[in-house]
Amino acid sequence: MKEAQQKGQHTMSEALSKSKVTAAVLGIAMFLATGIAAQAQKPPERGSGQYHNWLTTEVRHQLIMVPWLSLFDNLQYRVDGNNVTLSGQVTDPVIKDDAEKAVKSIEGVGQVTDNIEVLPLSPMDNQIRRAEYRSIYSFPSLEKYGTMALPQIHIVVKNGHVTLDGAVLNQADKTAADLRAKSVPNVFSVTDNLQIENSQTQRNGQ
């Protein structure tokens, strides 16, 4: 690569006049390209159907990118016009704060209502989380959900009670996840909120 760069520099020194013209043309092209890219990134007109779709997609993107977010957290949201309501449960207050800040940073967003619940600290709940993870994600038909950057089956544990949130591909996987969650010792109850992927009833943020 260094030899190629040196060769390129040598060629430019031999044809200085041509390089000035080329640089000018490239500069204009880059300026136009930057302008087009900026226009493409600007949100649609506020209040339009396109803006609602854009904002919904942008909120989801920002929440997925929140640092320290794991399968033991469950972030959800609702978009009303340019206002956003956040909900769900997280294991760390930092995640709650980062989620709110991330959504507030979106261009054109209005009021952000943060109803995210911070789960209580509990050694017992931590043990259940680990056991639920092993039980669900080691099951052959469910292993595929653990290969993603953020696994699709969220395991929310509060005071010994387990809630499964997220999305699976079919009813068989939903049933398997429910049965595996219920097989873990010391669990008081299991609530299965898993949605079938592409279902019209699938909630935002999954």
Side-chain angles (χ1 to χ4, degrees):
M1 182 178 292
K2 290 183 178 180
E3 292 180 357
Q5 290 176 345
Q6 292 173 354
K7 184 178 179 181
Q9 292 172 356
H10 180 66
T11 303
M12 290 174 63
S13 66
E14 290 179 344
L16 183 59
S17 60
K18 290 184 180 180
S19 68
K20 289 181 179 179
V21 175
T22 303
V25 173
L26 288 174
I28 294 172
M30 290 178 65
F31 174 79
L32 293 175
T34 303
I36 293 172
Q39 289 181 352
Q41 292 175 358
K42 288 187 64 177
E45 183 179 355
R46 193 178 304 177
S48 66
Q50 288 182 334
Y51 178 81
H52 181 272
N53 293 336
W54 175 86
L55 182 57
T56 299
T57 301
E58 188 64 19
V59 169
R60 183 179 188 278
H61 172 72
Q62 291 295 333
L63 292 180
I64 290 175
M65 299 300 291
V66 170
W68 313 116
L69 185 67
S70 76
L71 61 90
F72 301 120
D73 306 300
N74 179 43
L75 291 179
Q76 298 181 6
Y77 61 91
R78 186 179 72 249
V79 176
D80 299 303
N82 68 326
N83 299 322
V84 179
T85 300
L86 300 176
S87 58
Q89 305 82 25
V90 295
T91 54
D92 191 321
V94 173
I95 300 174
K96 172 185 171 75
D97 294 339
D98 286 349
E100 181 178 348
K101 291 176 184 176
V103 173
K104 284 183 175 179
S105 71
I106 300 173
E107 181 179 353
V109 75
Q111 181 179 355
V112 177
T113 303
D114 188 351
N115 293 331
I116 298 171
E117 176 188 6
V118 178
L119 296 167
L121 292 174
S122 169
M124 182 186 73
D125 284 352
N126 285 336
Q127 290 178 1
I128 291 175
R129 289 183 182 104
R130 291 191 291 269
E132 289 286 356
Y133 173 80
R134 290 192 296 267
S135 180
I136 292 172
Y137 283 98
S138 66
F139 193 66
S141 66
L142 302 176
E143 286 180 340
K144 57 182 176 288
Y145 296 107
T147 60
M148 305 170 186
L150 183 62
Q152 284 187 258
I153 301 175
H154 299 261
I155 304 167
V156 178
V157 183
K158 180 181 179 182
N159 298 327
H161 298 275
V162 176
T163 301
L164 301 182
D165 277 288
V168 291
L169 296 174
N170 50 60
Q171 182 61 47
D173 287 349
K174 175 180 170 68
T175 300
D178 182 72
L179 292 174
R180 298 297 295 175
K182 290 177 178 176
S183 71
V184 172
N186 302 320
V187 171
F188 298 138
S189 69
V190 174
T191 302
D192 184 358
N193 290 335
L194 291 172
Q195 303 293 316
I196 307 300
E197 208 165 59
N198 300 323
S199 169
Q200 292 182 352
T201 60
Q202 185 172 337
R203 294 175 300 173
N204 287 336
Q206 302 297 321

